[in-house]
Amino acid sequence: MKSKFLFFLLLISANNLFAQDQKTDSLNNKPKKENFADDWAALTKYQKENELLPPTNRKEKRVIFLGSSIFEFWKQKDPEYFNNNSYVDRGISGQISPQLLIRFRQDVINLKPKVVIILAGSNDISGNTGHVTNEKILNNIKSMAELARLHHIKVILCKYLPVYQYPWNKSIEPAEIIVSLNEMIAAYAKEKNYTLLDYWTPLVDERKGQRPELTVDGVHPNLAGYKIMEGVTDAAIKKALKNRH
């Protein structure tokens, strides 16, 4: 009788252990949420869109807009501007110039455009911790421009939009820093015969910020501001396409 009781206890224990093993296996086989912490430049953002983008043909004059929130919000404010042209928006809000450089192969070179418009620098300046300089911003812009030229892509460099104050970082006084950066970009574009696209002049007010009627927050344009940008952008694209370099 005693031996039967011990056998019964062993059987129950074995069943419990088997159930626990099954539960553990089930937990171990549960799909893990993918960790994108290593994707500092947000390469995943446009990965699917890039895969679905049809290849260019000989007649198509594809233009890539590479930048941060100014470009990303542009397509949201006026999608027809991009949809009615061979314009591909690859702006990601908040990105700094080294992130744009990391994305350059995936979001520009691999898409085989005729022209790339590079707008960079404001987020570097707005989050300034003392490590960012205009020289470092320009170095990243130079690297992108050189990569484009190597792959026979026409380069348009932008004078950045005026900003008097960043709402999210009021300790920075960006107006003169942007003026200085724009002067450096203009000089480099002239030296290398890149097309210069001036977003600063048509939007600036007497404080060297954006004209109030053209902006939503002093940094990002409203639709009226983007309409002005569209005019000067189209003119710059036409000029770049005629450029032999």
Side-chain angles (χ1 to χ4, degrees):
M1 190 73 179
K2 189 175 179 180
S3 60
K4 287 182 178 181
F5 180 70
L6 288 172
F7 176 76
F8 181 69
L9 288 176
L10 288 170
L11 186 62
I12 292 173
S13 299
N15 285 336
N16 287 338
L17 287 170
F18 179 72
Q20 287 176 2
D21 287 342
Q22 281 189 318
K23 187 176 180 180
T24 301
D25 288 343
S26 176
L27 289 172
N28 289 337
N29 292 329
K30 185 179 179 180
K32 291 182 179 180
K33 187 176 180 181
E34 194 167 357
N35 185 354
F36 291 105
D38 57 343
D39 188 14
W40 177 67
L43 292 169
T44 51
K45 181 174 176 68
Y46 289 114
Q47 184 176 348
K48 293 296 182 184
E49 286 186 44
N50 290 345
E51 291 170 359
L52 295 172
L53 199 66
T56 55
N57 55 53
R58 289 185 179 181
K59 293 183 179 180
E60 183 183 354
K61 296 173 181 177
R62 179 177 289 171
V63 180
I64 304 292
F65 289 61
L66 185 74
S68 54
S69 56
I70 301 296
F71 281 172
E72 183 174 12
F73 297 166
W74 192 343
K75 190 173 182 179
Q76 296 170 14
K77 286 273 196 308
D78 194 6
E80 291 79 11
Y81 178 65
F82 293 87
N83 297 335
N84 295 339
N85 296 285
S86 293
Y87 296 167
V88 180
D89 190 310
R90 289 296 178 263
I92 298 182
S93 181
Q95 287 212 327
I96 56 179
S97 58
Q99 290 174 304
L100 302 183
L101 178 56
I102 290 173
R103 287 200 291 123
F104 202 82
R105 180 168 297 279
Q106 174 187 285
D107 290 343
V108 179
I109 295 170
N110 291 351
L111 304 185
K112 301 187 183 303
K114 294 287 186 184
V115 180
V116 61
I117 302 174
I118 301 169
L119 179 65
S122 181
N123 286 319
D124 304 62
I125 294 166
S126 71
N128 199 323
T129 56
H131 306 127
V132 174
T133 64
N134 281 349
E135 288 75 16
K136 289 180 180 179
I137 295 169
L138 185 63
N139 282 340
N140 289 322
I141 292 172
K142 285 180 178 180
S143 294
M144 289 184 272
E146 289 168 7
L147 282 170
R149 181 164 278 180
L150 182 66
H151 289 270
H152 310 290
I153 300 168
K154 307 284 188 182
V155 176
I156 297 177
L157 300 182
C158 302
K159 291 178 71 173
Y160 211 93
L161 291 69
V163 178
Y164 178 75
Q165 187 177 69
Y166 294 107
W168 57 88
N169 191 351
K170 294 182 179 180
S171 64
I172 302 293
E173 295 181 357
E176 292 298 338
I177 301 173
I178 291 174
V179 168
S180 175
L181 176 63
N182 285 343
E183 289 173 351
M184 294 167 67
I185 291 171
Y188 174 66
K190 183 177 180 180
E191 176 192 347
K192 297 297 182 179
N193 196 28
Y194 296 132
T195 301
L196 183 66
L197 173 48
D198 183 1
Y199 286 139
W200 193 87
T201 301
L203 301 178
V204 71
D205 67 7
E206 68 281 355
R207 301 191 305 171
K208 297 182 181 177
Q210 278 178 56
R211 288 159 53 191
E213 71 273 18
L214 300 177
T215 182
V216 295
D217 58 1
V219 177
H220 302 93
N222 57 22
L223 183 57
Y226 278 125
K227 287 295 183 183
I228 291 174
M229 290 173 63
E230 288 168 12
V232 294
T233 299
D234 289 341
I237 291 169
K238 288 179 182 178
K239 183 178 179 181
L241 288 169
K242 292 177 181 178
N243 194 334
R244 293 183 179 180
H245 294 275

